Amino acid sequence: MKGLFIAIEGPDGSGKSTIVKKISKMLNIDKINHITTREPGGIDIAEQIRNIILNPNNTAMDAKTEALLYAASRRQHLVEKVIPALKNNKIVLCERFVESSLAYQGHGRNLGINEVFSINQFAIEDVMPDLTVFLDISPEVGLSRIASRSSLDRLDLETIDFHKRAYVGYETVKKMFKDRIIVVDANRELESVVNDVYKIIVNKIRG
Ligand code: TMP
């Protein structure tokens, strides 16, 4: 079996973390060698960058600074964790990747999807997921799901308009990468969503 890079994308509150945990258990039962990780974060340096980006006190952060910090954390996570795992023939299941930057910074922050993609190229050097599963949920429903969390980060606390722009950004991203993005309706019972995502992933692994 060869390594595969699989990204799980979607708006805040789409269920990425819960779904990735459940998928990982199912992959373990099926003895499929994999790691799970997340962006921004996944390793110490990138988690430190995550804390800077998402600290609710950092209200002065400029949009380009934000985009560059996401790209910096992405770079470190890629070289320190993702690429070595792929070289060891592992399946890498990653919550978020460059598509998030295109949607949130490119469209949400109005920096331009192409501009944000080009600064990210310096960081990722053409490494892209083999498959991206997009958990589709409206920003309104997503945000209402996370509203009861004890701590909300700087991006969670952004306006609904920002989250709506990010969602519209994802629409463009889906078209840009239509050959490797699969959309799953995430506004359903968790078990059905998990089962659908699992089937998609296993189909890809089994080629
Ligand atoms: P998380 O809550 O899914 O862990 O992600 C943290 C926040 O960061 C979430 O609101 C989405 C945002 N984000 C971006 O704006 N750009 C990015 O490139 C990434 C990876 C996340």
Side-chain angles (χ1 to χ4, degrees):
M1 195 190 291
K2 72 173 194 47
L4 266 185
F5 183 16
I6 301 173
I8 309 292
E9 282 282 352
D12 292 273
S14 53
K16 288 177 299 303
S17 307
T18 311
I19 290 166
V20 164
K21 273 193 203 105
K22 286 186 181 284
I23 297 284
S24 177
K25 280 191 188 147
M26 293 160 89
L27 289 171
N28 281 333
I29 292 168
D30 286 342
K31 298 194 169 22
I32 297 175
N33 199 359
H34 69 284
I35 62 161
T36 64
T37 189
R38 70 167 182 183
E39 274 203 5
I43 40 122
D44 184 41
I45 292 172
E47 289 288 338
Q48 291 181 50
I49 299 172
R50 176 187 178 94
N51 289 337
I52 296 171
I53 302 172
L54 297 180
N55 183 339
N57 296 328
N58 287 338
T59 50
M61 191 177 293
D62 168 73
K64 288 186 180 174
T65 307
E66 180 182 287
L68 290 163
L69 286 173
Y70 276 116
S73 76
R74 177 161 301 128
R75 169 75 188 169
Q76 188 64 29
H77 177 244
L78 199 62
V79 295
E80 204 180 319
K81 190 164 184 184
V82 177
I83 292 173
L86 293 173
K87 282 191 177 147
N88 280 322
N89 296 327
K90 292 194 177 159
I91 310 294
V92 176
L93 216 54
C94 184
E95 286 175 48
R96 301 192 179 280
F97 191 61
V98 71
E99 293 94 330
S100 284
S101 280
L102 305 182
Y104 284 81
Q105 282 66 53
H107 207 261
R109 297 284 189 220
N110 295 314
L111 291 178
I113 288 181
N114 292 337
E115 287 75 3
V116 171
F117 199 34
S118 92
I119 61 138
N120 272 275
Q121 278 303 348
F122 181 65
I124 64 178
E125 295 177 293
D126 289 329
V127 177
M128 288 297 279
D130 299 292
L131 166 72
T132 294
V133 178
F134 180 77
L135 300 172
D136 198 7
I137 198 155
S138 73
E140 289 90 346
V141 176
L143 290 182
S144 74
R145 283 184 179 180
I146 63 170
S148 59
R149 279 185 194 165
S150 55
S151 68
L152 292 174
D153 65 43
R154 191 173 62 85
L155 275 276
D156 295 333
L157 293 167
E158 267 296 342
T159 61
I160 182 73
D161 280 352
F162 168 75
H163 287 280
K164 281 185 182 165
R165 279 199 304 279
Y167 186 80
V168 172
Y170 270 130
E171 294 297 316
T172 306
V173 170
K174 281 187 239 167
K175 285 183 199 131
M176 275 170 82
F177 305 119
K178 59 179 182 308
D179 295 342
R180 51 160 199 81
I181 296 193
I182 298 184
V183 179
V184 171
D185 177 3
N187 197 8
R188 292 178 296 153
E189 210 189 316
L190 181 63
E191 202 182 311
S192 313
V193 182
V194 171
N195 286 337
D196 284 1
V197 174
Y198 195 67
K199 269 186 223 144
I200 291 165
I201 289 177
V202 169
N203 276 344
K204 183 72 185 177
I205 293 171
R206 306 226 157 110

